[in-house]
């Protein structure tokens, strides 16, 4: 028994365009999922950041850039937004943010150490796969 399939150039081109359109939708959904993740992580982190003068909180930033063919990059952190100066110490947030984040022995009336790491870990473990699936599905189904 023998089966032969003939696929025209036009059919192959149409298939290729369909694949590209699908990959674009997956990419758009992936980018939207990263933006949503940054929004959630940002909010959770701001709820945990120590707040003596609000300088650290004011220095929080995040951004998502890239393209599906080259990859996406999400950056979230502190020490941005013009790197505000702490009015008590005269120091920019970037000069002390790592120490505040890492010092588990420090007592803070508001907030805690690991104010960025914990929200990232929690979101990555519990929510990111669902978030990515939701936004990719929304893009594909339109």
């Amino acid at each position: 028994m023998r089966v032969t399939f003939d696929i025209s150039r036009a059919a192959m081109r149409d298939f290729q365009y369909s694949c590209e359109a699908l990959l674009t939708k997956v990419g758009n959904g992936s980018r939207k999922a990263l933006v949503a993740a940054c929004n959630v992580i940002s909010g959770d982190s701001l709820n945990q950041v120590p707040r003596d003068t609000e300088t650290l909180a004011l220095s929080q930033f995040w951004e998502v850039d890239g393209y599906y063919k080259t990859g996406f990059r999400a950056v979230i952190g502190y020490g941005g937004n013009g790197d505000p100066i702490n009015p008590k110490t005269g120091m920019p947030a970037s000069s002390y943010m790592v120490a505040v984040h890492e010092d588990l022995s420090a007592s803070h009336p508001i907030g805690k150490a690991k104010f960025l790491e914990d929200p990232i870990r929690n979101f990555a473990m519990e929510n990111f796969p669902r978030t990515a699936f939701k936004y990719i599905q929304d893009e594909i189904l339109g």
Side-chain angles (χ1 to χ4, degrees):
M1 174 181 221
R2 183 174 166 173
V3 177
T4 303
F5 293 97
D6 291 319
I7 302 172
S8 70
R9 288 181 104 145
M12 286 300 294
R13 187 179 57 248
D14 291 346
F15 179 70
Q16 181 179 354
Y17 291 148
S18 295
C19 289
E20 274 295 317
L22 179 61
L23 287 173
T24 298
K25 289 178 180 184
V26 169
N28 290 342
S30 298
R31 186 178 196 295
K32 288 177 180 179
L34 282 173
V35 168
C38 284
N39 273 315
V40 170
I41 292 166
S42 172
D44 290 350
S45 181
L46 283 173
N47 288 332
Q48 297 179 29
V49 69
R51 293 176 180 266
D52 181 29
T53 64
E54 297 292 321
T55 306
L56 245 149
L58 291 171
S59 77
Q60 188 199 61
F61 70 96
W62 66 265
E63 65 184 22
V64 174
D65 61 18
Y67 181 62
Y68 86 89
K69 288 186 176 184
T70 58
F72 296 104
R73 181 180 72 126
V75 178
I76 185 167
Y78 289 81
N81 287 330
D83 203 8
I85 303 296
N86 185 311
K88 285 186 176 178
T89 65
M91 303 292 291
S94 63
S95 69
Y96 62 87
M97 65 186 180
V98 173
V100 173
H101 186 268
E102 296 299 319
D103 188 355
L104 297 173
S105 66
S107 176
H108 302 285
I110 299 172
K112 67 179 199 62
K114 302 297 185 182
F115 52 88
L116 181 57
E117 183 177 330
D118 288 347
I120 289 171
R121 285 183 189 275
N122 290 338
F123 190 84
M125 288 188 316
E126 297 175 16
N127 298 318
F128 191 72
R130 262 191 314 249
T131 301
F133 181 79
K134 176 202 178 310
Y135 283 96
I136 291 169
Q137 182 180 22
D138 289 352
E139 279 293 314
I140 291 171
L141 300 177

